[in-house]
Amino acid sequence: MPHITASDGTHIHYEEQGQGRPLIMIHGWTFSGRFFHRNIGPISKHVRVITMDLRGHGKSAKPDHGYRISRLAADLRDLLRALDLSDVTLLGWSLGCPVIWSYLELFGQERVRDAIFVQQTPRQYFSPEWKLGHAVCYDQAGLTYLQQQLFLNATEFDKGNLAGCLNNPIPEDEQNFLLAEMAQSPAHARSELMADHTVHDWRDLLPTLQIKSLVLVAEKDTVLNPEGPAWIAEHMPNARAVRFQDSAHMLFIDETEKFNETVIDFVKD
């Protein structure tokens, strides 16, 4: 299986298809690069599509350490360097967004041309002035409850998580395929990563980023209030938003054709 070795010795799995300028697609929490299976083929007719499995997910290694957003950003940098990529478009979905934000904060736009941010709020926890966080994991108690579910019954958690991320039904074989991908991520990796991810607040960073960006907003998401992702487009200087009216959290599955066309138009611009 194709992989690169990160600076701490962890194997990071990746897959690629197509030729031309690189587009790296970064999946969300508990998922894998194969969640983009409806999108890779059409998009790869225009650019070189590379999907990576974050550490602790999919076919990447599952070490006992490193489940922090900053470490995932370093893994991304290691991938860019190992494959000697430049002029890259980064696409992050959900958790993939803060991985990109952390990369930009730590390393600037090294090797990166532009970015696409798919359905992520800049802050998951609620506060007196911020109500656009996560629907369930919006405070420390919510995080603790979520972690307990991971260890007590991961199979049922995954079924509920997948169903809650979709607005439209999908075929049973596709559902089973996606659940099998989720099952590859052990509870300790998911728990530790969410504990780090969910406490970050990126609102101070985003207005300082000059990178050309596209923000995709899912109007029917019940995981994240769509106005949270919309906030990103409003506060990043060179960002614009595209709204998906019939999509929940996995808008690349709910509105596959529109997602593919939107990404293709952006990377060809």
Side-chain angles (χ1 to χ4, degrees):
M1 295 187 295
H3 70 270
I4 62 101
T5 302
S7 57
D8 67 347
T10 300
H11 284 188
I12 303 297
H13 176 81
Y14 72 92
E15 298 176 5
E16 61 179 306
Q17 186 172 323
Q19 297 179 341
R21 200 169 64 78
L23 166 69
I24 297 182
M25 305 180 75
I26 307 169
H27 63 82
W29 179 73
T30 81
F31 307 121
S32 78
R34 279 154 295 287
F35 268 69
F36 298 116
H37 68 102
R38 291 189 179 191
N39 320 111
I40 295 169
I43 298 173
S44 67
K45 295 177 181 179
H46 303 272
V47 290
R48 177 185 177 187
V49 177
I50 300 168
T51 56
M52 62 183 296
D53 288 349
L54 300 173
R55 65 173 58 212
H57 295 72
K59 296 180 181 178
S60 286
K62 284 83 178 176
D64 293 328
H65 64 279
Y67 297 107
R68 287 175 291 276
I69 297 299
S70 57
R71 179 63 253 186
L72 301 186
D75 293 343
L76 173 59
R77 189 192 199 196
D78 291 336
L79 177 72
L80 293 173
R81 288 182 166 185
L83 300 183
D84 193 22
L85 302 176
S86 60
D87 203 28
V88 175
T89 295
L90 297 177
L91 183 152
W93 160 53
S94 197
L95 173 71
C97 293
V99 173
I100 299 174
W101 298 332
S102 182
Y103 179 96
L104 295 171
E105 182 175 41
L106 295 171
F107 311 120
Q109 282 189 229
E110 178 185 315
R111 299 176 179 265
V112 176
R113 171 181 171 174
D114 47 29
I116 304 172
F117 301 108
V118 182
Q119 197 57 14
Q120 175 61 39
T121 185
R123 174 183 168 92
Q124 295 216 154
Y125 275 9
F126 282 24
S127 64
E129 90 295 349
W130 182 257
K131 304 300 182 185
L132 301 178
H134 195 279
V136 177
C137 189
Y138 54 80
D139 59 11
Q140 195 65 32
L143 170 64
T144 301
Y145 177 78
L146 181 147
Q147 291 173 312
Q148 290 174 337
Q149 300 310 303
L150 288 171
F151 286 99
L152 290 173
N153 197 334
T155 300
E156 289 305 310
F157 177 87
D158 286 349
K159 290 180 180 177
N161 190 18
L162 180 60
C165 286
L166 292 166
N167 185 51
N168 301 305
I170 61 174
E172 184 176 0
D173 59 343
E174 184 177 19
Q175 176 178 316
N176 292 335
F177 165 68
L178 297 177
L179 287 171
E181 288 297 311
M182 298 169 73
Q184 295 183 72
S185 184
H188 79 271
R190 300 198 234 184
S191 176
E192 293 168 22
L193 182 54
M194 181 56 79
D196 182 77
H197 161 52
T198 198
V199 299
H200 284 288
D201 185 346
W202 301 96
R203 290 177 296 168
D204 64 325
L205 173 70
L206 298 181
T208 73
L209 300 178
Q210 299 298 319
I211 187 170
K212 178 184 176 184
S213 302
L214 184 67
V215 181
L216 307 189
V217 180
E219 294 283 3
K220 294 185 178 178
D221 192 357
T222 59
V223 177
L224 296 176
N225 186 318
E227 297 313 308
W231 187 98
I232 296 167
E234 295 167 1
H235 290 81
M236 288 185 67
N238 294 313
R240 64 179 178 91
V242 176
R243 291 182 176 256
F244 287 68
Q245 304 294 333
D246 193 36
S247 289
H249 201 57
M250 294 180 184
L251 51 82
F252 49 89
I253 292 180
D254 276 327
E255 293 184 75
T256 301
E257 186 175 346
K258 180 177 179 179
F259 176 89
N260 292 344
E261 291 175 352
T262 302
V263 172
I264 290 168
D265 287 345
F266 182 78
V267 297
K268 289 174 64 178
D269 183 9

